Amino acid sequence: MILKNFFVFEGIDGAGTTTQINLLRKRPDADRFVFTAEPSLSPSGKFLRQILSGEVSLDPRTTAFLFAADRNEHLYGNSSDDCGIVHKCTDGKFVVSDRYLFSSLTYQSVTCGEELPQKLNEDFPLPEILFFFDIDPEISLKRVLSRGETEIYEKLDFQKATAERYRAVIDRYEKMNTGMKIIRLDAARSVDEIAGEIASALPAVNS
């Protein structure tokens, strides 16, 4: 199932997804857009951020279940302003999310195998457009380290494994007849070049 008006940015840490979403917030028609991210701002999402920061340690399979639960709340719930994506899209809003189920199929597959993440996420709707930010992990990790704070997944060996898995996931979806449009972006290019390509793909909305 494709969720119309839903657009997702995916890529390893430091690929530039958040930077591009922040630029989109400055669009003249930004009031017609909803900008969100996973983990969400719901209670489940806040707990996941404790896990990502290393404050809480859980079995990787447990974490996979928690990401799926937060995603369900993100899509259908109302526990925070950024939840209820499905309702917002059907109500005419354009929703842009920094990460979605493809992150689980990548990160959780690296930590606990492919089968569980695929099973947990198989019934969620796909976005209208998936923007995949492809980048060399060594370049992206330099960006991450420049921030001064890292999360549990932000280590070079893990990032290399994640980048390889991300490409495999995107390759698989490209071969499937889902109706989802996939746009691969060379995330090592300049911020302006990437922003231009994204802008040309997103719908033009008059406020």
Side-chain angles (χ1 to χ4, degrees):
M1 172 189 165
I2 300 296
L3 180 57
K4 188 173 174 55
N5 299 336
F6 184 35
F7 311 101
V8 169
F9 288 11
E10 290 278 4
I12 61 175
D13 300 290
T17 57
T18 304
T19 296
Q20 292 299 327
I21 285 181
N22 287 337
L23 287 177
L24 288 175
R25 293 177 186 273
K26 300 176 182 178
R27 283 174 59 129
D29 54 4
D31 61 326
R32 288 294 304 277
F33 282 78
V34 174
F35 300 102
T36 185
E38 292 193 355
S40 72
L41 297 177
S42 71
S44 57
K46 291 176 181 178
F47 182 57
L48 277 169
R49 294 186 187 279
Q50 290 182 291
I51 296 172
L52 292 174
S53 70
E55 183 179 346
V56 176
S57 179
L58 296 176
D59 181 88
R61 291 174 60 87
T62 304
T63 302
F65 277 100
L66 289 170
F67 269 103
D70 183 55
R71 184 159 298 122
N72 191 81
E73 184 66 17
H74 201 199
L75 285 166
Y76 304 107
N78 59 6
S79 60
S80 61
D81 289 342
D82 68 333
C83 290
I85 288 174
V86 171
H87 175 74
K88 289 177 171 68
C89 287
T90 55
D91 201 35
K93 288 286 188 179
F94 293 82
V95 178
V96 180
S97 182
D98 190 352
R99 299 192 181 282
Y100 186 51
L101 64 86
F102 311 97
S103 289
S104 283
L105 297 180
T106 300
Y107 284 85
Q108 272 67 66
S109 290
V110 172
T111 57
C112 65
E114 298 179 17
E115 184 177 353
L116 181 61
Q118 288 179 359
K119 183 176 181 180
L120 292 173
N121 291 279
E122 63 186 4
D123 292 330
F124 291 132
L126 295 174
E128 183 175 345
I129 303 177
L130 166 61
F131 294 92
F132 173 52
F133 290 61
D134 198 1
I135 192 169
D136 185 310
E138 293 190 3
I139 297 174
S140 64
L141 191 58
K142 285 180 181 178
R143 295 177 178 177
V144 170
L145 294 175
S146 70
R147 302 175 193 159
E149 295 183 5
T150 59
E151 294 182 340
I152 59 173
Y153 295 137
E154 294 172 341
K155 297 175 176 61
L156 184 57
D157 287 346
F158 188 88
Q159 288 291 78
K160 287 181 176 179
T162 303
E164 183 177 344
R165 180 62 192 151
Y166 245 130
R167 290 166 186 146
V169 168
I170 301 305
D171 287 346
R172 179 164 61 85
Y173 274 96
E174 284 182 330
K175 295 174 183 175
M176 298 166 62
N177 186 25
T178 64
M180 173 180 62
K181 183 176 181 179
I182 298 175
I183 297 177
R184 289 177 178 257
L185 300 166
D186 178 0
R189 292 179 302 162
S190 72
V191 170
D192 289 342
E193 285 179 299
I194 298 169
E197 190 168 349
I198 292 171
S200 66
L202 288 175
V205 184
N206 295 319
S207 301

